[in-house]
Amino acid sequence: YYTYIQHAPQLLPGYMTAGLYVHAGCSAFNDPARTRPHFKSAQSYASRRTGAWKRFVATPKRYGGRTIDEVFEGELWALARNVVYPCSEHFFEIASPRKKPLATERRFRVQIGPYIFTGAFDAIDPGLRYLDYKTSSKERELGERELHDDYQFTIYSAVLPILVAHDTRLKDEMKLTQGQRTALHENPLALMEDVRGELVHLRTGKSYEVRRKPHDFLEMLNTIDAAALRIEQGDFSHSRGFHCHSCLVREQCDRDTLDGRILIRTDAVNNGEGVLLYPPRQELRVFTSLPEPVRVLDDCKKMKPSHKH
């Protein structure tokens, strides 16, 4: 609502800036087309990354073309010490002994049934395996329920086989069995259970394996459709939660909340050019089997760089 209808101004929180910088370093270090830089230790790598980040964002306070929302004095130093340094140190310790992945920051835009999913894999390994780097501040162990409820990994488990089926190089280097190759040709979604995800929490250096089954994807589709139907009927009610801390339009939302405003769609029919934003729908679509079509819409080998190093 705020982004696409109100066009509210967006501010990039400082800690998201630090996270983006860490991810950019992970990608550059693991890029299959580059030689890995040499550092004497994880500490020297972390120190170099931290110093470069502080110089990069200090003046002016911009990163990736966005203004950084600096909420308190000294935030740049605190973020460097509490986010960039430990994440870089743990990443170096984890990534240095590993072989380079087949791809890094591999972007995708894939249609599955009536929905289009976009995103990017931080890294893709042989054997239908992917890595996802997190820089969040959680110090505790992540539980099975928490991992299961994260739809990001459900999408990844469905999309990876589709990407592999579409990309000849990935398919050749993925080290698939003959049975997997056959399934890949007939229905890539049938390989969801063979996909192994690894969530790497860089702030603590801990890793978690993530697996998904087809019924997990069906559950997600039904949840998406319920939300889509609610939006199409004009319900833009607040959904406050932990995600508010990283919301790019948080300031406008906070002002509306303090003023007691309820989010109501102002123009549900027309976007000014005669195009329907949300065609009215009365019934909830229920998914009981994996939908078709399944196709890659864009063959994006790499994320487009949004900043310079």
Side-chain angles (χ1 to χ4, degrees):
Y1 175 83
Y2 284 119
T3 302
Y4 297 108
I5 295 181
Q6 280 202 356
H7 302 291
Q10 297 186 350
L11 286 175
L12 190 66
Y15 50 86
M16 286 188 67
T17 303
L20 287 174
Y21 181 76
V22 170
H23 275 73
C26 296
S27 175
F29 188 88
N30 272 332
D31 190 336
R34 297 186 184 183
T35 301
R36 278 181 173 166
H38 174 70
F39 291 88
K40 293 182 178 179
S41 66
Q43 291 76 24
S44 61
Y45 175 78
S47 296
R48 177 73 64 86
R49 295 291 300 169
T50 301
W53 181 80
K54 285 194 291 188
R55 290 192 298 273
F56 189 73
V57 301
T59 307
K61 294 181 176 57
R62 295 182 63 85
Y63 184 84
R66 298 180 186 271
T67 299
I68 300 171
D69 177 20
E70 192 171 17
V71 295
F72 64 89
E73 188 175 352
E75 180 179 352
L76 293 179
W77 178 88
L79 292 172
R81 190 68 190 90
N82 298 326
V83 180
V84 179
Y85 190 94
C87 289
S88 299
E89 187 177 36
H90 288 135
F91 168 74
F92 188 88
E93 292 170 345
I94 293 168
S96 294
R98 288 173 51 95
K99 290 184 178 180
K100 285 191 176 184
L102 301 180
T104 59
E105 292 295 329
R106 178 62 193 271
R107 189 178 180 182
F108 61 82
R109 184 169 179 265
V110 171
Q111 180 178 2
I112 304 177
Y115 293 112
I116 296 173
F117 299 95
T118 63
F121 291 95
D122 289 339
I124 298 175
D125 277 345
L128 291 174
R129 187 179 182 89
Y130 69 85
L131 279 73
D132 186 69
Y133 299 116
K134 297 293 185 189
T135 58
S136 63
S137 60
K138 294 178 180 177
E139 298 294 336
R140 56 180 173 78
E141 293 280 342
L142 296 177
E144 185 176 342
R145 184 76 247 177
E146 191 172 2
L147 292 172
H148 175 269
D149 290 343
D150 194 329
Y151 288 145
Q152 177 183 3
F153 303 112
T154 306
I155 294 171
Y156 283 174
S157 296
V159 167
L160 183 56
I162 299 172
L163 274 187
V164 173
H166 176 78
D167 188 319
T168 302
R169 185 188 70 83
L170 277 181
K171 189 190 304 182
D172 291 342
E173 298 180 5
M174 191 53 68
K175 299 180 181 179
L176 302 175
T177 66
Q178 186 56 47
Q180 287 174 328
R181 286 181 172 274
T182 301
L184 201 66
H185 176 73
E186 295 175 352
N187 180 11
L189 286 177
L191 287 177
M192 272 192 68
E193 294 188 58
D194 290 358
V195 175
R196 295 180 299 156
E198 183 180 351
L199 186 160
V200 182
H201 187 250
L202 293 175
R203 200 85 71 96
T204 60
K206 297 177 181 177
S207 297
Y208 304 86
E209 184 176 83
V210 185
R211 304 293 288 266
R212 289 293 188 270
K213 296 181 179 180
H215 73 77
D216 295 318
F217 190 74
L218 294 177
E219 175 190 295
M220 184 193 70
L221 286 180
N222 288 322
T223 301
I224 291 174
D225 206 70
L229 180 62
R230 192 189 75 216
I231 292 171
E232 288 166 8
Q233 293 175 342
D235 179 7
F236 278 91
S237 55
H238 283 79
S239 179
R240 307 286 292 191
F242 72 92
H243 51 274
C244 294
H245 296 291
S246 58
C247 180
L248 301 181
V249 292
R250 184 186 70 241
E251 286 193 352
Q252 180 63 49
C253 185
D254 287 345
R255 283 196 294 269
D256 282 356
T257 301
L258 290 174
D259 292 342
R261 296 176 187 158
I262 299 175
L263 290 181
I264 299 176
R265 184 171 49 175
T266 57
D267 185 359
V269 178
N270 194 296
N271 70 348
E273 299 177 355
V275 179
L276 289 177
L277 290 175
Y278 307 101
R281 183 154 54 96
Q282 300 299 323
E283 295 183 1
L284 180 68
R285 187 188 291 113
V286 178
F287 294 91
T288 57
S289 59
L290 293 174
E292 295 181 353
V294 174
R295 58 197 179 113
V296 174
L297 300 179
D298 294 314
D299 186 16
C300 302
K301 305 296 186 191
K302 296 279 288 185
M303 290 286 285
K304 293 181 179 179
S306 59
H307 48 266
K308 296 180 180 179
H309 302 292

